[in-house]
Every structure is written in structure tokens, then in C-alpha cells.
Amino acid sequence: MQHLSLKMSNITKKFPGVLALDNADFELAKGEVHALLGINGAGKSTLIKVLAGINSIDSGQIWVDGVETVIDGTRRSKELGIATVYQAPEMIPSFSGYENVFLGVESSKRGLFPFINRKALRKKANEVLEEFPIDIDLDKPISDLAPIEREGVAILRALVLENISILILDEPTSILSHREAETLFEMIAAMKGRGVSIIYITHNLEEVFIVSDRFTVFRNGRNVGTYESDRSNYSHNDVAELMLGDKMTSIYPDKSETIGDPLFSIRELSHGTDFQNVSIKFHEREIVGVFGLVGSGIDELCKTMFGDLRPDAGQITVKGKDVALKSCADAINEGIFLVPGDRHAEGYISDESVAFNVTLSKLPGISKFGFVNRKTEKNATLKLIDKLKIAPGDPYGNISKLSGGNQQKAVMAKGFYTESDIYIFQEPTVGVDVGAKALIYRAIRDLSETCATMVISSDCEEVYGIADRIVVIFEGKVVLNAKTSEVSLDDALVHGLAGGHDNV
Amino acid sequence: MRINLFKRDNVLVWALLVLVLFFSFISPDFRRLDNLFEILRSCSLIALMILGVTWLVASGEIDVSFPNIAAFASIVTAYCIKIGIPWGATVVIAPISAIPLGLLSAFLINTFRFPALIATIAVASVATSLASMVNGGQPLYLAHSSDVVEYFVYGKIGGLVPVLFLLVLALFFFAKWIQDNTTVGQHLYALGENRKASLEAGINEKRIILSIFVLSALLAGISGVLLAASFSSGQPRIGGSFFIDGLTAVFLGSLMVKFGKPNVMGSLIGAIIIATLSNGITILGIPFYVGTITKGLLMAFCVGITMLNRKNKAPQLPT
Amino acid sequence: MSEVNKSLVAFLTFLAAILLMFTLQSEYFLTVSNFLQAFKHLSITAIAALGLCFVVAVGKADMSFHFFSCFAAMAMSYFISIGYGPVFSVLASLLLIASLGLLNGILVGRFGLPDMVTTIGTGTAVFGLAYLFSGGRYIYRNFIDSGIMQLNDGKLFGTIPIPVVVMVALYFLSWLLLHKSKYGRNFYAVGNKPLAARFSGIKVARYLAIAFVISALFASIANMVQVSAQGKGEIRAGVTLLMPAWAAVFVGISIFKKPTVYGTFIGAFMISIMQNGFTLLSVPFYYMDFVVALSLIGSIILANFDVITTWINKKRRG
């Protein structure tokens, strides 16, 4: 066990209703870059939260550098030399780069007034930085830095730990451009040179072969295999199959055969630097899937189409009529509904009943003379609970106590209750288990029979799986707009990652 | 370090200068040197009270109990003197007696997740009623005064420069050093700006909040002793003017030095501006309520400016 | 639900204990005339708290309503003193105060200024403005002749005091609005998650503005009753509304886990009945403040029972 930096065995972690880790094993050799793969809900994020000391385990054993240990808090995790760089690292925006690097560990002194030696910190941060092929002005406030520079600061923050031995990178490229990602890969190589073992979490199969020595695939909370990252032995499809198991084919409903009347279109829509000249047409019986990375402008596009942001230029047309949307309320009146991506902040009202949430966007539907009729409310909610199989099916149950998938279904039910003509589903299955996923896709497909539907997501596979037409947005511009049957998943992915220019 | 007076961060210094010139121009009484120093003396008590408040607001909390705690300490002072405790002991006992009130606020916030506003409203009420219980709600006159304490309150070096202001100034420079050069200062701003990031970085939120509340109560307690000396009595219900003056000074101060963030030097200058305003209004014979209106508007204005400059960034002020 | 029931039972038991104590201590306590008196007193706290309840329901804090109420009462007294009738005086000052409340609403709702600090600022400014009516002096003129004092002394059907009638009416209307109508849901949605509310098609800024207007209006009504009871326009009369109103709303929250009309009433009732009882026992006013503050602290601590237990366990372990 001497050569192992980390060994985890038989780790089990239960959350209410979900078995996040099910007797999972994981091994990390010293000085290797080990990619961790798996679809959403496979247990990757729980695993790293266990290592970071955020989640405690129900059972299982962990050895760090050959010594069995219990990680009971973030402090302990740090003491063990484990550092995590999260997907969107939290920083103090007005603090300078080096101040963020040393946040919380500015001084080893105790006492009433532990002095911060800014000069020394700055020097130390810059010394570590010099080993990397990137130049960051660490005196600038974080809010002025580019995404890769922030990522760099986050990595520096991990590396200034005196005893760093294991570094966890959680989807580090998701907010980086293609060029920036390459810089990151060089940084990873440099870190490897320092003898740090790295766990690299990603959705991007290509990155696995570029960056890692070995990779491990997680599925349903279990380790389904660890392999050498040798491009000649495994194709993307092999890896994808490992990740998905037998679910790859069954999860998505059939594609639509025919296309109905046009219902909705956007023409030359632009919003600042977020996206420019985006034109998409939407028809009945056709699901349009829009794929773009986080930061590519898809979030702003959704919000513009739903009236939450005002376009600088361009036209939104509903059923042949040009509309100017001033608010979300306007959009709903025009028959547009957005099922937002950040369910917890934008989707549902917590600690209220399912019925409260389902009927919220069309309260006149359940009220007479302005007063709510509980019976109408109950019946309307029950109908949608039944249709979307929301469990438990109590219309007056607290929505905060439902599982992620059922909360998502309740938010969708809220949309369905408005009987809109146009539905936008933003990241519809984030934090949703596989069973609920299939149901959500089915519901979207059923809806598309009579409505224009759009699924907008940073998960290419999902977009490819559900959509009849795929639109790919890269750095705010449409780089691909084609029938799904006419392009391959790889092709779509390449467009989304690099604008379709060079090989990834 | 070069100080550039034309930076946005220093606009307030100019505002103060304009204010002083304006009043000086129209009132000969105002521009007398002893009056100008009197302004500095009169701002000192407020400044003392809001030092802790400044840091609380910077770390995303709020304290509305500081005037009430000062009132409580002032009556404790008078009571101690009445029952024959010597001044030397009283000046220690009274400020220390204020600390439990700060502890109570911190305890309610840290342990029971009270919103800081509610916790400090409750503590303010506790402080006022405790203060009233000492002498049936009436002011309690000091049985005898102390030359030393009087010297701190009224003393002037060279017959001109108020001792109190010099002491407060020294305290503020020390506080500035703490704020800018120790982890406590660094962490309280980190907390105010991004609580999640701060907690992830392992910053001990509860300890920081506790220590600033204790500091705030202690300083309010010290001001209470000085108040008792300057009124020759302990006052259970000090007028609400300390409250609005203090908070306005804090938010005025957040417009300078560290733009958008309350900070000690800003608060000191804020307190001087408020004192100048009050003094000028009194000397010109303008009804005092014009001052109240102005301070209220000033406060809303400061907040507005800060927010407008922070469009598209996460708000940091307590909401 | 069971959790709510538990807190409710705890509070009712507490309330019963208080009532029992006062009954034993003072024979006058449990009489009709004392209860009418107590309710009259209750109505002032209860009405002001009810307005604040709307602001807390939309997730904001109002630190200005007590100052606004001073302005309204002085405006009313001023109108009375220059010869207008009570109805006009009341309505005109309510209109004035509503527009000032709207200012709060716009600053916080439309421009997104931080609620607490902004309302402290506007409240102070408006309190300063209230001095314009008389320079801070009492306003007596026409007070007795105008009939404004009927606002406090009048009785419906010769028995029920007008303040109580006003309180019941406002509570009933607010209950309909907040708990029975479709608009009530929007208030709660806005307070709970403003973003989710916006994406549900709710005009968030509008509801914030309405809440601040209601808060200013209700506090003003409460203070007008108070001023007409005193028989003179006194500028500081409304300042004391702040603490009991916040306490009432928070006691209500600690029972029902969210700001509600009935919770606010229970909170106001608990505070008022204690004040009334202590008055009968001739306890000085500042003890009452103490009790109000302690009951606020106590009720919230009681409501966080889980926190207490974990805290105690932690102390034991550590």
C-alpha cells in the first residue's frame, strides 16, 4: 500500500431516498493524474465531498498515504493535505489574487492580532506561480481576472498548503475556453512534476485521454472499473457505455417523425457580449435542443427569451406576432414558459405545498373573485401529480421535502398548468436521478406534440438524446444548427467545445 | 504610499472641506478656532461608539443597540459613584458591565441564528430597561466628579486641542492597523463579501462576530462613562440622535478609503462630517430637525451610491 | 404540521400561565372592563405589527414605520388644528404617508437598495419632516372640538371601542388578503425566493412596494389612535411602536414558522396582555420593556428547540 496516495474501500453514503455511494472503492497512486468519470448522480461529487470533509460516510475505510484515517470535517481534510478546487470556485471578489490564495491561512500565528505579512504572502504566491506556464497579476482584484486566471488562483490556493498531497479538480474546464483549457493542462503537468496526486473530474471524454494516466468510471454509486488512459484501447463509445451501462438507449424517448406548424421564432437576437445574432425557429412536434458550455451565453439566451433580460437587438415572434417582452410576467402572458436551470433558487418556493407551487403561475385558474378555491386547487394539482408521477402524491405536502427529481417535476407541473404554447427547459435534469430523468424526457416529448419545446443544456449528451434538431452555441454564436439525425454526438460536442474549428 | 486626494475614495474629504468652508463663510462664530476644535471634541463620542459597529456592518451584520448600551453604562457609572465606589474602579466596572449585552447579541446570532437586526433590537430594549430600573427611569446625577475623567472629556492641550479627540484618533489609527494588517480585519471583510467562500476557507465566523460584538459593547460602555461625565449624570434614555448620527457616519464612511465597505477611517471622517453639520446648523440657528432630515437623506443617499456602483455585482451590505 | 402544533401548545400554555398569574395577583384583571381596556391597548400594537407582518412576509425589514407613523399623526393633528374635520384629516394624512411608504417600496423594490439601512435613512428623514408641522411642539388646537378623539373614545353599539373595531376589521381584511386570496400567495412567494417568484411571473417589485405602503399605513393608523387617546399631537408618540411590533411579528413567526396574520395577533396579544397585567400590578413601564424584550428572545429560542438540544449536546460532549 506504500505507493498509494489514497485508498478508499467499501464506502457507503446514504441520503434521504438516495444511495449516493454503494460500497464504492477507489485508489489513487502517488503522482498520477486520475480521471473520475460518471454521469450526474453516479456518485462522483459525493465521493469528493467525502474527501473534502463536507460529507461524512456511513461505513467504509479510508487510507491516506497508507495510514487509515477518518475525515470528519474540512479542517481534517486540509491537515491530510487534500485540497479541492470546485467547479466555480468561491472567491472574495474585491480581494487581490494573492489575498484569495491565502484566505483563511494568512498567518500561522495565534493570539489577539495575528499579523498578516502581505509582502511575504505575495512573494510566496508568485514563487509558486512561476512554476506554471501562466502569468497572473496576483495584485489585481479577483473580479478583474479572466476565468482561467481565477481557476489558476484557485489552484494556487490548493498548492500553498504546506503538505499538499492530493488535489481534486472538479470539472475545471467547464468555465474555460478551449485555449484556456490547454493552459490548464500544462498546469496539471507541472503539478504532477511536484509529486502531487490529482483526481480530475470531468464529463469530457477527450480530456481524459489528454490529461490523465488512469481513469475510473462511477455508476450508481459504485466503481465499475479503473483503466489505463490509453487511447488505442478505448474509444469514446466504450467509455460512454461504461458510464451509462444499459441505460444509454432506453432513457430517451423516440424522435419525432414529422414536424408541425411553426409556433415561435427568434431572429438575430443579441444581448451584449453574452450572445449575438442568434436565430432559431421552433415548430410543433419538434424538440429543439440547444447545447453550449457554461458561460457560452445559453443562460442569458434563455433569460432573454423569457423576458427576464432585454435583447439589444433582434425579434421574438410568437405565432406570427412580434412581441416585446418586458418581464417574465409578459412572457407567460404570451404563452412562453421557462423551467429554469437553477431549481433551488429559481424554480420552486420552499416550505410551501406542492399545490402552492404548481398553481403559482396561473392563480386565476384556481380562484374566484380573487379568492383561492381549495377544491379547484387540489383537483388541478392532483391531475398534474398523476400526469408527471410526482411522489409522494400529496398536493399539500411540503415541496422542500421532495427529492430533486420530484421537485423538478413539480416545477414542470407549474409550467404545464399555465398551458403555454412554448416551453423552454433549461438544464432539466441537473441533480435528478436516472429514473426521473427518463420520465422527464418522456413528459417533454409528450408536450412537444402540441407545443414548441426547447431543451437548453450544457450536457451535450442530453441535448443530443432528446432533441430532433440540435443548435450548438459557442462563445455566444450559433456554430451548428442541424437535424440531430444528420450529425454525430461527437460532432456536436466538438462544435460546442471549440466552435467546430480544430480538433479538441 | 502616495495619497491621491482626487481619487473617488477621497471625495468625502473634499465634501468635509466644502462643508467647513461653507459654514465658515457665512458664520463668523463657526470659523472661530475653538469652535472648530469643539467639533472634533463633539464627534469623538460618536466615533468611539461606532468603531465596532463599522466592523459589524462590514462583516454583514448590524448593531442598533450601541446607543442603548452607552446609556446603560452611563447610569451604571452614576450608580457606582452613588454607592461610593471610587472613580478609578468605576471606569473599569461600567464598561465591563456593558460586555454581557454584547455577548448576548453574539450568542443570539451565533447560536440561535437570530437576524442581527432582531437580536440587537431586543438587546437594545433590554439595555434600556435595565438602565431604567437603576433609578426608576430618571437620570441619576453624579454624586461627585473626577478631575481625571473630566480632563479626558473636556481637557484641551494648549487650551485648544481636545484630549478626547487625540485619544480617539490614536485608537482609530490602532484600529486601522488591525483592520488592514491582521487576519481579523481580513476575515471580517471576507465574511461580509462572500460568506460561503469564507466558510469554505475555514474562517471562524462565530469567533469573529463574537469578538466584534464584545468590542462594540465595550466601546459603547466606555462612551457611556464619558457621557456620564459630560452630562454630570447617568441618562437611561439618551436621545435617538446617537443612533442615526452613528449609522449615518458609518455609511458615509463606507463611501471613502475602501469604497463601498465600511471602514474605520471612513467612519471617523463620517463622524466629523456629521458633527460639523450639527454644529453648523446649531450656530446658524437653523431648526435642529433640518439636521435630522439631512442625516436621514444622507444615509439613504450613501447606500444608493454604493449600490449603483455595484450594479451586477453581488450586494454586500446587510439586507 | 405537528411541529407547528407543538409550538402553538407551548405558547398557549405559556399564555394561560401568564393569565392565571395575573388573575391571582389582581382581582381586577379578569373583568370585562379591564379586557376592553386591554384590547384597546392591544389594538395599537396589533395594528402596527400587522403592517410590519406584510413587509416581513415579502422577506424584507422595515425600520421606518414607527417614524412614518409620527409623521402621519402630526399631519393629522395639523389638519385638525387648522380646522379640517376628522375624516378629512385622517384620510389626507394616510394619503401622504402612503406616498412616503411607496418611496420606501420603490427604493427597496425597484432599485434594490438594502432594506434595513435604507428604511432607517428614510424613516429618520421623514421623522425630521414631521417637525415641520409644529416645530416639535404639542398640537392641541381643535383637538377636543373636532371629534377626532372619537377615534379612541367612540364605541360601536355603545360597547365595543372603535380601536378594537378597527383592529378586527384590519385583521379580517389582512387575513383574507394574505391567507385566502391569490395575492397572498404572491407575497409569500416573493418573500421566500424572489428569483423563483419572478420566474413564476410575479411582479416582485410591485409586491415589495405594496408591502411597504401597507406597513406605513397600518403603523400610522395605530399611532393616530394612540394620539387621539392622548388628546394632543405629540411627535414622539409613535416611536415606541418599533419594538413591540417587531416582537409580535417574530413571536408569530416562531410559532407558525412564517409571518402570518394570526401569528402576529397571538404575538401582539401576548405582549399586550403582559403589559396590561403589569400595569395593574403597578409595575413601572421599563419593566414591561424588559419583559417584552425577554419574551421576544425567549420565544425565538423556544422555536429553535432543535438548535437548543444540539447545542446542549455539543456542550456536554465538548
Side-chain angles (χ1 to χ4, degrees):
Chain A
M1 218 178 282
Q2 292 311 312
H3 62 293
L4 284 185
S5 182
L6 171 76
K7 181 179 161 69
M8 303 171 85
S9 99
N10 291 325
I11 308 288
T12 299
K13 172 71 187 174
K14 262 189 201 138
F15 289 112
V18 192
L19 190 57
L21 288 175
D22 180 8
N23 275 316
D25 299 323
F26 184 69
E27 285 182 0
L28 178 67
K30 271 210 175 88
E32 74 165 337
V33 178
H34 195 129
L36 193 54
L37 292 161
I39 57 170
N40 289 333
K44 298 172 307 202
S45 54
T46 311
L47 189 84
I48 63 164
K49 277 184 187 157
V50 166
L51 288 174
I54 295 169
N55 286 344
S56 59
I57 51 174
D58 298 333
S59 66
Q61 290 161 294
I62 300 173
W63 291 267
V64 175
D65 282 327
V67 183
E68 183 167 0
T69 182
V70 178
I71 306 176
D72 56 354
T74 50
R75 197 163 288 252
R76 178 79 190 126
S77 171
K78 263 186 202 162
E79 283 166 13
L80 291 168
I82 302 172
T84 311
V85 177
Y86 292 101
Q87 200 170 353
E90 292 278 347
M91 305 258 182
I92 312 294
S94 78
F95 281 19
S96 69
Y98 73 87
E99 282 173 318
N100 270 290
V101 166
F102 287 98
L103 187 67
V105 291
E106 292 90 346
S107 171
S108 54
K109 287 191 200 105
R110 298 264 162 252
L112 214 48
F113 308 117
F115 180 68
I116 300 181
N117 188 343
R118 284 207 164 73
K119 238 185 210 158
L121 295 186
R122 196 168 156 263
K123 193 162 156 254
K124 196 169 158 197
N126 277 310
E127 272 169 19
V128 181
L129 181 66
E130 268 174 26
E131 297 174 26
F132 293 105
I134 178 173
D135 188 28
I136 307 171
D137 185 350
L138 289 177
D139 293 333
K140 269 195 194 166
I142 283 287
S143 53
D144 292 354
L145 296 184
I148 179 68
E149 293 175 313
R150 276 183 226 192
E151 191 76 35
V153 170
I155 290 173
L156 283 183
R157 184 153 79 184
L159 291 182
V160 294
L161 269 181
E162 296 292 334
N163 57 343
I164 171 91
S165 65
I166 300 169
L167 178 67
I168 303 167
L169 296 171
D170 185 6
E171 293 190 41
T173 50
S174 61
I175 51 168
L176 303 182
S177 73
H178 176 51
R179 198 125 305 162
E180 289 180 329
E182 278 175 356
T183 312
L184 178 79
F185 298 152
E186 288 168 33
M187 288 180 76
I188 290 175
M191 277 185 279
K192 216 174 122 181
R194 285 170 55 121
V196 178
S197 320
I198 295 167
I199 302 176
Y200 187 94
I201 294 166
T202 184
H203 274 313
N204 186 322
L205 304 182
E206 192 52 38
E207 277 175 25
V208 173
F209 296 114
I210 294 173
V211 122
S212 72
D213 302 312
R214 293 195 295 166
F215 67 88
T216 291
V217 179
F218 262 69
R219 192 168 77 222
N220 294 339
R222 281 198 203 121
N223 181 342
V224 293
T226 298
Y227 308 90
E228 298 288 326
S229 303
D230 186 346
R231 204 187 294 264
S232 53
N233 289 349
Y234 307 97
S235 70
H236 284 184
N237 279 350
D238 293 338
V239 182
E241 229 163 81
L242 281 170
M243 284 164 68
L244 292 167
D246 53 357
K247 283 177 198 81
M248 192 169 192
T249 45
S250 61
I251 188 167
Y252 299 108
D254 295 339
K255 307 267 170 186
S256 174
E257 301 284 318
T258 56
I259 287 175
D261 303 329
L263 279 178
F264 179 51
S265 74
I266 54 175
R267 274 201 317 276
E268 305 280 308
L269 214 57
S270 300
H271 185 266
T273 53
D274 299 322
F275 59 87
Q276 298 86 33
N277 299 325
V278 175
S279 304
I280 309 173
K281 280 203 176 88
F282 299 85
H283 299 84
E284 220 176 57
R285 289 201 297 286
E286 183 193 44
I287 299 175
V288 177
V290 177
F291 164 63
L293 295 177
V294 175
S296 62
I298 55 168
D299 184 49
E300 290 79 5
L301 179 64
C302 278
K303 278 166 192 162
T304 310
M305 289 167 71
F306 193 51
D308 196 44
L309 295 175
R310 305 269 196 94
D312 302 331
Q315 187 58 55
I316 299 174
T317 310
V318 178
K319 288 184 179 167
K321 189 180 74 170
D322 288 353
V323 293
L325 305 173
K326 292 198 191 77
S327 65
C328 302
D330 279 358
I332 291 177
N333 284 337
E334 295 291 347
I336 306 170
F337 196 90
L338 168 74
V339 177
D342 185 353
R343 178 169 67 242
H344 299 291
E346 304 166 346
Y348 68 95
I349 306 294
S350 48
D351 286 315
E352 294 287 357
S353 69
V354 175
F356 181 107
N357 277 281
V358 167
T359 56
L360 190 61
S361 289
K362 200 181 135 197
L363 286 168
I366 53 159
S367 23
K368 255 187 199 146
F369 312 115
F371 292 106
V372 171
N373 183 330
R374 294 274 282 196
K375 212 172 153 191
T376 328
E377 181 192 22
K378 192 177 168 187
N379 290 338
T381 311
L382 277 174
K383 226 187 250 172
L384 286 159
I385 285 178
D386 191 46
K387 186 173 169 186
L388 285 161
K389 302 202 172 55
I390 298 172
D394 175 14
Y396 293 111
N398 185 344
I399 194 165
S400 302
K401 300 217 165 116
L402 300 186
S403 71
N406 283 300
Q407 282 174 349
Q408 181 67 4
K409 285 191 263 176
V411 177
M412 286 171 67
K414 173 172 74 177
F416 290 2
Y417 189 59
T418 61
E419 294 171 336
S420 298
D421 303 311
I422 297 131
Y423 283 92
I424 305 165
F425 297 91
Q426 186 186 7
E427 313 275 356
T429 60
V430 170
V432 167
D433 61 277
V434 176
K437 257 186 189 176
L439 223 147
I440 287 171
Y441 293 139
R442 183 75 252 164
I444 294 176
R445 172 58 72 194
D446 289 347
L447 195 69
S448 73
E449 288 301 314
T450 51
C451 304
T453 41
M454 163 170 160
V455 173
I456 192 160
S457 172
S458 53
D459 180 349
C460 188
E461 215 181 273
E462 166 173 277
V463 170
Y464 191 80
I466 181 87
D468 302 312
R469 170 170 290 278
I470 186 162
V471 176
V472 179
I473 295 191
F474 177 75
E475 292 182 349
K477 292 188 183 63
V478 174
V479 290
L480 179 73
N481 184 344
K483 283 188 124 174
T484 315
S485 52
E486 290 164 2
V487 289
S488 69
L489 174 56
D490 287 356
D491 211 20
L493 192 62
V494 166
H495 275 86
L497 294 177
H501 302 310
D502 42 15
N503 56 337
V504 185
Chain B
M1 199 165 63
R2 245 182 80 238
I3 295 176
N4 181 359
L5 276 179
F6 294 94
K7 259 170 60 182
R8 176 185 68 175
D9 283 359
N10 292 318
V11 163
L12 226 55
V13 180
W14 290 101
L16 176 60
L17 205 63
V18 169
L19 199 65
V20 171
L21 286 176
F22 170 76
F23 281 128
S24 302
F25 186 71
I26 46 181
S27 163
D29 285 336
F30 181 89
R31 63 176 174 253
R32 281 171 45 189
L33 209 53
D34 57 344
N35 183 55
L36 294 178
F37 278 111
E38 175 58 25
I39 292 176
L40 291 182
R41 198 193 70 82
S42 68
C43 82
S44 307
L45 271 181
I46 274 287
L48 201 56
M49 279 185 215
I50 62 172
L51 179 61
V53 180
T54 304
W55 285 342
L56 281 173
V57 177
S59 63
E61 305 291 337
I62 195 159
D63 183 6
V64 298
S65 64
F66 63 94
N68 310 65
I69 293 180
F72 170 75
S74 84
I75 205 142
V76 169
T77 308
Y79 185 75
C80 284
I81 298 302
K82 185 186 159 195
I83 61 171
I85 296 174
W87 267 101
T90 302
V91 296
V92 177
I93 293 171
I96 287 177
S97 72
I99 288 180
L101 293 165
L103 281 174
L104 180 59
S105 295
F107 174 66
L108 294 175
I109 293 166
N110 281 342
T111 308
F112 292 103
R113 303 183 214 119
F114 270 46
L117 177 67
I118 305 303
T120 54
I121 286 181
V123 168
S125 193
V126 168
T128 303
S129 33
L130 283 177
S132 302
M133 286 176 199
V134 174
N135 196 34
Q138 298 304 310
L140 182 59
Y141 290 93
L142 286 179
H144 56 88
S145 59
S146 148
D147 288 343
V148 180
V149 177
E150 294 271 299
Y151 180 71
F152 280 134
V153 180
Y154 291 113
K156 285 178 178 162
I157 293 173
L160 213 54
V161 186
V163 175
L164 183 57
F165 180 73
L166 290 179
L167 289 175
V168 167
L169 196 64
L171 179 70
F172 267 73
F173 271 107
F174 179 56
K176 180 183 156 47
W177 181 83
I178 292 176
Q179 175 189 281
D180 293 341
N181 294 302
T182 69
T183 56
V184 184
Q186 186 83 346
H187 291 175
L188 72 92
Y189 281 106
L191 275 174
E193 231 182 290
N194 188 341
R195 197 149 285 230
K196 197 170 161 224
S198 310
L199 297 181
E200 270 177 18
I203 292 174
N204 191 338
E205 174 195 26
K206 292 185 175 178
R207 201 175 65 196
I208 290 180
I209 288 176
L210 179 81
S211 34
I212 317 177
F213 265 110
V214 168
L215 174 78
S216 186
L218 181 68
L219 292 176
I222 295 173
S223 346
V225 177
L226 299 171
L227 272 175
S230 66
F231 289 146
S232 303
S233 63
Q235 300 278 351
R237 285 171 187 260
I238 291 168
S241 72
F242 279 117
F243 174 67
I244 187 66
D245 285 8
L247 283 184
T248 310
V250 170
F251 285 96
L252 265 175
S254 71
L255 291 188
M256 66 171 299
V257 188
K258 290 172 178 252
F259 188 84
K261 297 179 193 175
N263 61 90
V264 289
M265 279 303 149
S267 291
L268 182 60
I269 292 175
I272 298 176
I273 291 179
I274 295 294
T276 308
L277 202 63
S278 303
N279 184 286
I281 282 172
T282 313
I283 282 187
L284 291 182
I286 301 169
F288 71 96
Y289 52 81
V290 175
T292 315
I293 300 173
T294 318
K295 287 169 203 162
L297 292 179
L298 255 182
M299 185 147 159
F301 173 76
C302 297
V303 175
I305 294 280
T306 323
M307 290 305 287
L308 284 179
N309 273 283
R310 199 176 291 140
K311 270 277 142 88
N312 303 324
K313 288 187 197 166
Q316 317 161 357
L317 290 166
T319 50
Chain C
M1 282 313 274
S2 65
E3 212 177 298
V4 169
N5 286 342
K6 237 185 278 167
S7 332
L8 189 58
V9 169
F11 275 94
L12 292 180
T13 317
F14 180 55
L15 201 59
I18 296 170
L19 291 176
L20 186 68
M21 187 190 87
F22 287 135
T23 315
L24 294 177
Q25 291 289 315
S26 160
E27 64 228 37
Y28 183 65
F29 182 71
L30 212 61
T31 58
V32 174
S33 61
N34 180 51
F35 261 76
L36 283 179
Q37 187 58 39
F39 264 80
K40 224 161 122 176
H41 183 260
L42 161 68
S43 60
I44 293 167
T45 306
I47 293 171
L50 183 60
L52 180 63
C53 174
F54 278 88
V55 175
V56 179
V58 293
K60 297 289 174 190
D62 188 352
M63 288 292 284
S64 67
F65 63 93
H66 58 310
F67 285 145
F68 279 30
S69 81
C70 297
F71 179 89
M74 289 314 275
M76 179 194 79
S77 309
Y78 175 75
F79 287 129
I80 294 283
S81 74
I82 58 172
Y84 286 105
V87 177
F88 174 86
S89 304
V90 168
L91 292 182
S93 8
L94 285 181
L95 195 68
L96 273 175
I97 213 66
S99 51
L100 290 170
L102 188 63
L103 177 76
N104 265 346
I106 290 171
L107 289 177
V108 175
R110 174 71 188 77
F111 295 108
L113 298 191
D115 47 356
M116 224 151 45
V117 185
T118 309
T119 52
I120 289 175
T122 54
T124 306
V126 168
F127 185 61
L129 284 176
Y131 279 96
L132 290 176
F133 293 109
S134 66
R137 284 179 294 277
Y138 295 150
I139 302 181
Y140 292 101
R141 216 168 136 217
N142 288 341
F143 232 82
I144 298 176
D145 309 331
S146 68
I148 186 69
M149 288 169 80
Q150 285 299 311
L151 191 56
N152 176 65
D153 301 340
K155 289 192 167 86
L156 189 69
F157 310 127
T159 46
I160 311 168
I162 293 290
V164 178
V165 175
V166 173
M167 172 182 75
V168 171
L170 289 179
Y171 266 80
F172 180 67
L173 289 175
S174 303
W175 176 74
L176 283 182
L177 180 63
L178 217 45
H179 299 301
K180 289 288 142 190
S181 84
K182 59 178 187 184
Y183 307 105
R185 306 209 159 181
N186 294 343
F187 279 103
Y188 284 116
V190 168
N192 189 309
K193 279 187 192 158
L195 263 180
R198 195 165 85 207
F199 285 118
S200 299
I202 299 168
K203 301 208 158 152
V204 174
R206 187 174 298 176
Y207 280 89
L208 290 176
I210 293 171
F212 276 103
V213 171
I214 291 178
S215 174
L217 278 180
F218 283 16
S220 301
I221 293 172
N223 194 26
M224 285 175 182
V225 173
Q226 195 166 248
V227 160
S228 56
Q230 289 171 353
K232 57 176 189 261
E234 190 208 335
I235 191 148
R236 301 198 64 84
V239 175
T240 50
L241 288 175
L242 179 73
M243 172 70 196
W246 271 106
V249 171
F250 260 80
V251 168
I253 292 176
S254 60
I255 304 174
F256 295 102
K257 310 294 170 214
K258 63 180 193 179
T260 54
V261 170
Y262 34 89
T264 306
F265 184 81
I266 293 181
F269 183 77
M270 188 175 103
I271 290 161
S272 268
I273 209 74
M274 280 196 282
Q275 289 180 329
N276 173 269
F278 283 122
T279 314
L280 288 181
L281 302 178
S282 2
V283 173
F285 68 94
Y286 39 83
Y287 281 91
M288 292 187 227
D289 289 350
F290 192 63
V291 170
V292 173
L294 286 190
S295 58
L296 170 63
I297 293 172
S299 66
I300 302 183
I301 290 180
L302 209 66
N304 285 302
F305 205 74
D306 53 326
V307 181
I308 306 177
T309 37
T310 48
W311 185 68
I312 291 170
N313 289 338
K314 215 194 306 175
K315 286 278 130 143
R316 277 205 195 115
R317 262 189 279 131

